Amino acid sequence: MTVLDDIIDGVREDLAERRRALPLDDVRAAALAAPAPLDAFDALGAGRGGAVAVIAEVKRSSPSKGALADIADPAALAARYEQGGAAVISVLTEQRRFGGSLADLDAVRSAVALPVLRKDFTVDEYQIWEARAHGADVVLLIVAALTDEELGAFLALTAELGMHAIVETHTVEEVRRAVAAGAVIIGVNVRNLKTLDIHREVFAELAHLVPSGTVVIAESGVRDAADVADYAAGGAHAVLVGEALVRHSDPAATIGEFTRVGGAAWRALDAPAHG
């Protein structure tokens, strides 16, 4: 069993408990009554030819590093991210391995005017309706965790709800599956799901397979501005950053630095080659 398999088993158990407590019909009603979602595609794509977008993550822990930060006030942290120029705020809601919750999502949604990503392991449509009910504008769809039929259905549901999905890939085959499914925001995660090791060179190898007009996000492995510059040079329109921000004393300044450095690397390249 891989790490992903183990996480998903726990996600399904926790989901079953929430479903028993709140039926899907009730979640749908709450989702349809929520304020209209914000446009994450526009927020992430706005950096093309200018500044690389930063998706700033509220993240307490991870399977690879354990505890990262004691985030007592996720709303305050998200507000600092927004002040620093983040394009999107990502909120981990998986509890067992990442220490997150839907309460964190609620707190962040109430504190910022940016698109908010519910970052979790989506395996059921219930979670998408749930994300919308709690004010999320974006969900994460991991190709490795879904069949082509599920991926297509979940993308269709997010579109129906006016949301977007970040479709996460790790291999050439997964990028091809994401493109075939019609994903318009594709994340390339350079973390090996079996070993949890980071291989940053994978990003550039996969990013060039993504067609023009698609937002490409570099996920995992951002330690500093140099990593952001490397990802931007490899074709990233945006970077998703968690650990480097939650462990920094001034995350707002760090976001500003990442945005500027990534943008400079982006502008140094031939823009038409990056969509």
Side-chain angles (χ1 to χ4, degrees):
M1 176 179 288
T2 67
V3 174
L4 180 62
D5 292 333
D6 184 54
I7 291 173
I8 288 176
D9 283 348
V11 166
R12 290 188 184 279
E13 290 178 15
D14 294 341
L15 173 58
E17 290 185 10
R18 296 199 306 278
R19 190 189 287 272
R20 284 192 291 269
L22 192 64
L24 177 58
D25 285 347
D26 292 346
V27 177
R28 281 177 173 154
L32 295 174
L38 303 176
D39 190 339
F41 182 85
D42 181 66
L44 293 171
R48 299 182 188 186
V52 167
V54 174
I55 304 172
E57 197 152 79
V58 176
K59 183 177 184 179
R60 291 189 173 88
S61 62
S62 74
S64 60
K65 295 292 184 67
L68 298 175
D70 181 15
I71 303 173
D73 190 345
L77 178 60
R80 293 179 73 186
Y81 287 166
E82 184 173 30
Q83 292 165 5
V88 172
I89 308 296
S90 170
V91 184
L92 265 300
T93 60
E94 196 280 334
Q95 181 176 0
R96 300 189 184 204
R97 297 293 191 99
F98 294 90
S101 68
L102 286 167
D104 287 347
L105 180 59
D106 291 336
V108 170
R109 175 69 287 164
S110 68
V112 300
L114 301 175
V116 174
L117 161 67
R118 183 205 180 166
K119 193 177 179 191
D120 210 316
F121 298 79
T122 306
V123 293
D124 191 286
E125 69 167 298
Y126 184 99
Q127 294 164 282
I128 299 174
W129 286 101
E130 189 177 52
R132 184 80 282 272
H134 286 266
D137 311 286
V138 197
V139 294
L140 181 71
L141 302 179
I142 302 174
V143 174
L146 302 170
T147 65
D148 288 343
E149 182 179 4
E150 289 169 333
L151 179 58
F154 293 168
L155 279 171
L157 179 56
T158 59
E160 177 186 331
L161 293 175
M163 305 172 73
H164 282 99
I166 295 176
V167 180
E168 180 176 296
T169 63
H170 303 81
T171 66
V172 170
E173 178 58 27
E174 289 176 12
V175 172
R176 289 174 176 159
R177 289 178 58 199
V179 171
V184 296
I185 306 175
I186 293 180
V188 175
N189 194 333
V190 301
R191 186 181 299 281
N192 186 302
L193 291 181
K194 295 181 180 179
T195 66
L196 299 183
D197 293 335
I198 294 288
H199 299 283
R200 292 175 184 81
E201 69 279 4
V202 168
F203 177 78
E205 294 171 3
L206 301 186
H208 79 278
L209 300 174
V210 179
S212 175
T214 306
V215 170
V216 185
I217 302 168
E219 301 180 37
S220 298
V222 175
R223 299 162 297 187
D224 51 32
D227 288 329
V228 176
D230 286 345
Y231 282 144
H237 301 112
V239 291
L240 189 150
V241 190
E243 180 182 349
L245 295 179
V246 300
R247 286 185 162 176
H248 201 284
S249 59
D250 192 347
T254 303
I255 291 170
E257 180 187 18
F258 287 178
T259 300
R260 290 190 300 272
V261 170
W266 178 266
R267 291 189 298 273
L269 300 172
D270 181 12
H274 293 78

